[in-house]
Amino acid sequence: EAAVTQSPRNKVAVTGGKVTLSCNQTNNHNNMYWYRQDTGHGLRLIHYSYGAGSTEKGDIPDGYKASRPSQENFSLILELATPSQTSVYFCASGDAYRPNSDYTFGSGTRLLVI
Amino acid sequence: GDSVTQTEGPVTVSESESLIINCTYSATSIAYPNLFWYVRYPGEGLQLLLKVITAGQKGSSRGFEATYNKETTSFHLQKASVQESDSAVYYCALGSNSGTYQRFGTGTKLQVVP
C-alpha cells in the first residue's frame, strides 16, 4: 500500500543543535511537502518540492532547509534548532498530474527543542 | 491572500447529536478552488474525509457531508448523528486545479462524549 513514512516519530534536540527529519513515500508522487502544526495556527507550509533536486520555500521557511535527493525522499533540516521550532511536523506527498487530488500524509514527527 | 478559517475548538458533542463545523475560505489567487476536509485520529496522520472540486456540489463520506458554496465562500462540515469514534481533529483545506499547494485551517478538535 502506498504510504508516507516519517522518522523519527519523536525527537528531543538541544538548542543550537542540528536536526534532520526524514520522509519517505512509496506513492511515486512528484510533489512533497513539509508542514508544521501548532495550536492556533493549523498546518503551515515550510518547504515543498516538485521532484528530485527541487526545493521551494513555503509560507514559513526561515530557520529550515529542505533536501530532495530522490523521488522517494524529502528531508527537513534545522541547522540551528531553537525552542520556537518545537512543534509537530507532517510530511505529505501529492500527485502533480492530478492537482485536485488529496495529499497523503505521514503520521508526524513530534519535535521538542530544549 | 488565500486562507481558510474554521470553527475554533475544542468542540464537545454528545453521542447521537448533530454536528456542524464551519469553514470559510478566501481564494484571491485561485480561480477554481478545490475544497477538502481531512481528519486526523490520535497518533495518525491526516487522511482525506471528503473533497469537492466543483462549486455547488456536495461531498459525503462516513455520514459526513459538506457543500461547496461559492456565494458564501463556505464549506461547512455536517453530520446528523455523531459517534464516539468520530472524535478526532478535522481540517478544512483549500487547493486549486493549478496545483498550488493546499492551505489548511487551524483544525477543529472534536470530542464526542457518551
Side-chain angles (χ1 to χ4, degrees):
Chain A
E1 183 178 315
V4 174
T5 304
Q6 294 181 230
S7 62
R9 288 297 301 269
N10 296 282
K11 173 76 176 178
V12 179
V14 295
T15 299
K18 182 177 181 178
V19 177
T20 300
L21 307 183
S22 300
C23 179
N24 175 275
Q25 57 111 350
T26 59
N27 301 324
N28 198 32
H29 286 163
N30 283 342
N31 296 349
M32 295 187 74
Y33 309 86
W34 276 106
Y35 289 87
R36 62 178 282 179
Q37 158 77 70
D38 301 289
T39 302
H41 288 283
L43 270 71
R44 292 181 290 173
L45 185 70
I46 307 169
H47 284 288
Y48 60 104
S49 169
Y50 292 124
S54 138
T55 61
E56 306 289 337
K57 293 180 179 179
D59 294 328
I60 53 164
D62 293 346
Y64 301 93
K65 289 173 54 178
S67 173
R68 183 87 181 270
S70 65
Q71 177 85 335
E72 297 77 21
N73 295 294
F74 189 39
S75 298
L76 186 68
I77 303 154
L78 291 65
E79 295 278 4
L80 294 169
T82 69
S84 65
Q85 294 175 312
T86 293
S87 187
V88 180
Y89 292 84
F90 288 100
C91 176
S93 73
D95 187 343
Y97 300 103
R98 295 173 55 230
N100 56 17
S101 64
D102 56 290
Y103 292 173
T104 304
F105 280 85
S107 299
T109 294
R110 189 174 297 272
L111 174 65
L112 172 64
V113 182
I114 57 175
Chain B
D2 303 322
S3 64
V4 174
T5 303
Q6 65 180 98
T7 300
E8 291 270 343
V11 172
T12 301
V13 180
S14 298
E15 199 167 24
S16 78
E17 295 292 304
S18 64
L19 168 73
I20 181 166
I21 299 176
N22 292 327
C23 172
T24 57
Y25 67 90
S26 171
T28 56
S29 68
I30 301 173
Y32 301 100
N34 300 321
L35 297 170
F36 304 80
W37 277 103
Y38 288 83
V39 58
R40 179 163 67 97
Y41 299 104
E44 299 182 14
L46 284 76
Q47 58 183 269
L48 181 70
L49 179 61
L50 56 87
K51 73 176 183 183
V52 180
I53 63 173
T54 304
Q57 298 294 309
K58 180 168 72 176
S60 59
S61 174
R62 309 181 210 176
F64 290 89
E65 58 183 36
T67 299
Y68 181 167
N69 189 319
K70 187 176 180 180
E71 286 68 38
T72 59
T73 62
S74 66
F75 191 56
H76 306 320
L77 183 68
Q78 301 183 73
K79 189 172 187 182
S81 176
V82 297
Q83 304 169 355
E84 271 193 87
S85 58
D86 293 326
S87 296
V89 182
Y90 294 82
Y91 296 87
C92 185
L94 168 70
S96 76
N97 287 336
S98 66
T100 303
Y101 53 82
Q102 292 179 16
R103 294 182 178 276
F104 289 79
T106 55
T108 302
K109 183 175 183 178
L110 170 66
Q111 184 172 4
V112 179
V113 297

